Amino acid sequence: MVGLKKRLHAWGEKILMANFMGALLLVGMTFTLFFFSVFESASIHGLHFISFALASTLLLATLEKWKELEASLRNAQSNSTQLKNLSIVLYVVAAALLTFTLSVNFGLGPVVAAGLVGVFAGVFFRHHEVPIYCGAFVGMVSENLLPSHWHVLLAASIAAVVFLISKSVFNGFGGKLGTIALIGCTAAVFLTDQVFIIRPVPGCDVGVYLFLYSVLGVLFTYALNVRFNRSPVMSSGIVGLVGGLLLSILHPEFGSMLASMVICASFAGMSSKERVPNELYAITVGLVCALVFMYSAPHFGGAGGKLGTIAFGSVMAISALRRVLGFGKGHARRIFTVYLCGV
């Protein structure tokens, strides 16, 4: 009996350490992307409201992550099965390779490909849709960044490991899966000596549409997810698929960018009702997503999971802001007004 207790205690410590490492990776990835967004805004505008809003978002998201990390780690030892289901690795890797094939070899593009895989997983693989959708985010990587299936396999394998060790942290926050995917893609980029794609910050002419479609993307996904009780993966997959198909027709000049914005916002809309309690908060998250999307454009270009990381940090920031302002319904209006007037 004593030996069994010692083994269980040792196993619990291993789980705790694994969760802590997984959480640190998620925190570090999000912090880096948002920090670069603040830097980009400051280099363009100087000490401007946009720079202040992005810096505030970074601070709030970081504070919320540490709070959630502390709460998650307190319960980590009670979940002793989270590292055992290694079949998760297969789902993540298979989905990444499938999405990359649909995107590149079949010419569907990353948004439509990921949307298809998400809908397919929601219909036929309901019990495994979460790791499948995580793999789909890896497969959204640009072929100009990770040019072959072997590169994607490497990125997906790393992402699968991160998925396993972070299963019990930051649950309910939309975009977590994308952050895991970005960690895998970033690691693969460095390991294979690839170079991230540098894209310019979108101009005001496109920016207006980005804010519009970001809000629509998060609202439609949130409605399907929370109001109509569809699974978060299915909800995001539907919105991403529709956006990817329609926006290239409605806006042929920059439809692909707008489609990326829509599916990015849909990741935020995957959040649980406890994290995003109503549509007003969802709108606020959509506005933050669009702002970070614009000023993170020159950084981590082409990497799968970047869009989810934007959503993850944005939801975290608004969750922290809700906490700071007291959770009241009237405060939600104040949050919305602050961000809307500033943008």
Side-chain angles (χ1 to χ4, degrees), residues 113-134:
L116 276 174
V117 171
V119 172
F120 181 81
V123 173
F124 298 105
F125 293 91
R126 182 67 183 270
H127 296 296
H128 306 289
E129 61 180 2
V130 175
I132 289 174
Y133 209 33
C134 180

Side-chain angles (χ1 to χ4, degrees), residues 83-131:
L83 298 179
K84 293 183 178 180
N85 190 9
L86 296 180
S87 63
I88 286 175
V89 175
L90 297 179
Y91 288 111
V92 174
V93 170
L97 294 173
L98 174 60
T99 305
F100 187 75
T101 300
L102 292 173
S103 173
V104 175
N105 299 103
F106 285 84
L108 297 183
V111 174
V112 173
L116 276 174
V117 171
V119 172
F120 181 81
V123 173
F124 298 105
F125 293 91
R126 182 67 183 270
H127 296 296
H128 306 289
E129 61 180 2
V130 175

Side-chain angles (χ1 to χ4, degrees), residues 55-94:
S56 300
T57 300
L58 171 62
L59 176 61
L60 289 167
T62 303
L63 291 174
E64 186 70 3
K65 281 181 173 62
W66 284 114
K67 180 192 172 298
E68 286 295 323
L69 174 59
E70 182 183 4
S72 298
L73 292 181
R74 282 199 299 267
N75 302 320
Q77 288 178 298
S78 63
N79 185 5
S80 62
T81 62
Q82 60 179 322
L83 298 179
K84 293 183 178 180
N85 190 9
L86 296 180
S87 63
I88 286 175
V89 175
L90 297 179
Y91 288 111
V92 174
V93 170

